[in-house]
Amino acid sequence: MVDYEVSAANSIGTHVSQLLRTIGNWSRPSGHGLYMFRSMFVASSTAALVGLAAAAAAGITTGSGSLGFLLGSCIGFVGASVHFYRMCLAQALAAMDEHPRLMQLHLAYNFPWLGYQHLRINQLRSEHWGRTSYARQGNLVAAWHSASAALDEIHDRKTGLILEAIIKDEAARGLIQDKEN
């Protein structure tokens, strides 16, 4: 469910960036802008759902659901925001380990004044970033969001190579036959 939430938010963010470019001829939104928009989307959706569920439960037990909606939506928003941040950080740390140069490029792109372009490769490991300040972790999350299109392309290309290898292997073993014959 978490992967679905993150992928749905990424999809929405992609559409919004296309919209911004189309209507305003604006450049690509920054990583922190993408994170804020996606976080608001996930948190607001969760707040509405949890608020409605709490309102229904409070309505059944007390006869009025307004206080239940208020508390449920607040808890839903805060809980979803924290959860979304933690999931984004986990994925950003994984991306840092898999593609350190790409993440460094996006760190430098989003925060050129912080000197991320001068980091050595051994400083681009998740163990150095998992124990650092919230500000630096937030920078990494923003960089991960701006790098998401490139990371998706890398994943798609790797998937294509794996599929080609599987098809060649199965064809060599005779498992794939020509259906036209």
Side-chain angles (χ1 to χ4, degrees):
M1 174 130 168
V2 171
D3 291 335
Y4 173 74
E5 291 171 351
V6 172
S7 67
N10 287 341
S11 175
I12 295 295
T14 302
H15 295 302
V16 168
S17 66
Q18 289 291 340
L19 178 68
L20 291 174
R21 272 186 248 145
T22 302
I23 63 172
N25 199 19
W26 295 346
S27 65
R28 191 175 85 173
S30 65
H32 36 288
L34 289 171
Y35 170 75
M36 286 186 280
F37 178 79
R38 292 171 183 169
S39 179
M40 286 188 310
F41 175 77
V42 169
S44 298
S45 302
T46 305
L49 292 174
V50 173
L52 289 173
I60 291 170
T61 58
T62 65
S64 173
S66 59
L67 186 60
F69 180 79
L70 176 69
L71 294 175
S73 61
C74 289
I75 291 169
F77 191 89
V78 170
S81 295
V82 170
H83 180 72
F84 184 73
Y85 174 79
R86 292 179 66 196
M87 295 312 304
C88 288
L89 180 60
Q91 291 185 13
L93 290 170
M96 179 69 89
D97 283 338
E98 287 184 40
H99 310 288
R101 291 291 184 207
L102 177 65
M103 294 303 292
Q104 182 181 25
L105 174 71
H106 283 272
L107 280 164
Y109 170 76
N110 285 289
F111 309 99
W113 60 91
L114 294 177
Y116 289 124
Q117 61 271 24
H118 304 296
L119 293 176
R120 291 185 299 274
I121 191 72
N122 65 344
Q123 295 173 307
L124 297 170
R125 306 303 309 162
S126 62
E127 60 265 7
H128 297 296
W129 290 75
R131 296 172 284 155
T132 188
S133 70
Y134 285 117
R136 198 165 184 205
Q137 289 177 351
N139 294 347
L140 181 62
V141 168
W144 175 74
H145 277 282
S146 71
S148 62
L151 291 167
D152 288 343
E153 184 178 338
I154 291 169
H155 180 266
D156 291 344
R157 287 183 182 188
K158 283 182 179 180
T159 301
L161 291 173
I162 291 170
L163 288 175
E164 285 180 28
I166 290 171
I167 290 170
K168 285 180 184 176
D169 182 50
E170 289 180 356
R173 292 189 294 158
L175 297 175
I176 298 177
Q177 299 174 358
D178 192 10
K179 300 287 183 186
E180 295 178 12
N181 294 333

